[in-house]
Amino acid sequence: MRDSAFQNDAFHNSDDAVTALDDDQCWERLRGQVLGRLVTHVGDVLDIFPVNYVVDDGTILFRTAEGSKLIELTVNDEVLFEVDDYSDDEAWSVVVRGRARRLDTSAEVERADGLGLSPWIPTLKYIYVRIVAHAVSGRAFPRGPEPERYGVASY
């Protein structure tokens, strides 16, 4: 009995339950979603913004308007971008570390216009921003009940 309890505890060890995603798996999951969180950092201030996006040729593309988000990206272009999802059976999270830059040329904007990215809220967002990833990391894990916390099985 003790051996099976030990094996059960080992199975529920968080190191065993979490699966690291490789780059291809991360990008596949990013392509399957449309809403992410952009994290900016200027001085002592960290901000997080929900943005809808598309994956375009191994980069993240979103639209914005003039405002704090764009100002912060201009001051410091290093960003994090996080996307996650869950079901009854599993959950996952992917984090992109990279640099964000505004698309400036008419050719870049014209190409971006063809990707079908529209604002979710009824505002005009003329500015495209592209995040080029330096690193991508992700984790997936099964969902289920918490294992017995104190090693005492209920009878």
Side-chain angles (χ1 to χ4, degrees):
M1 182 72 151
R2 188 172 188 335
D3 288 338
S4 64
F6 175 76
Q7 290 171 351
N8 191 34
D9 286 346
F11 174 74
H12 291 294
N13 180 326
S14 63
D15 292 338
D16 295 335
V18 176
T19 302
L21 303 174
D22 65 27
D23 286 359
D24 290 337
Q25 291 170 317
C26 287
W27 284 106
E28 179 182 340
R29 291 176 191 236
L30 288 167
R31 281 189 296 275
Q33 299 296 314
V34 294
L35 181 66
R37 293 164 204 84
L38 173 72
V39 179
T40 61
H41 182 223
V42 176
D44 292 336
V45 177
L46 289 165
D47 277 319
I48 187 164
F49 303 94
V51 295
N52 65 303
Y53 72 97
V54 296
V55 171
D56 177 41
D57 196 26
T59 67
I60 304 291
L61 190 68
F62 66 91
R63 288 173 60 177
T64 190
E66 297 286 345
S68 60
K69 188 183 323 155
L70 192 59
I71 290 169
E72 291 177 25
L73 293 174
T74 303
V75 172
N76 182 3
D77 66 349
E78 293 183 60
V79 298
L80 296 175
F81 188 78
E82 191 270 345
V83 177
D84 56 42
D85 197 17
Y86 70 94
S87 68
D88 289 341
D89 300 321
E90 69 175 347
W92 60 267
S93 173
V94 170
V95 175
V96 175
R97 298 173 192 283
R99 295 197 176 285
R101 74 167 188 83
R102 177 181 181 157
L103 300 188
D104 291 322
T105 69
S106 57
E108 288 176 315
V109 171
E110 184 177 328
R111 183 176 180 288
D113 277 340
L115 296 174
L117 182 60
S118 299
W120 279 12
I121 58 175
T123 60
L124 295 174
K125 297 184 185 238
Y126 293 111
I127 301 164
Y128 286 98
V129 175
R130 182 178 308 281
I131 300 171
V132 176
H134 296 307
V136 180
S137 61
R139 302 176 350 148
F141 46 93
R143 294 191 63 211
E146 179 181 22
E148 175 57 46
R149 297 177 91 183
Y150 304 108
V152 178
S154 57
Y155 294 97

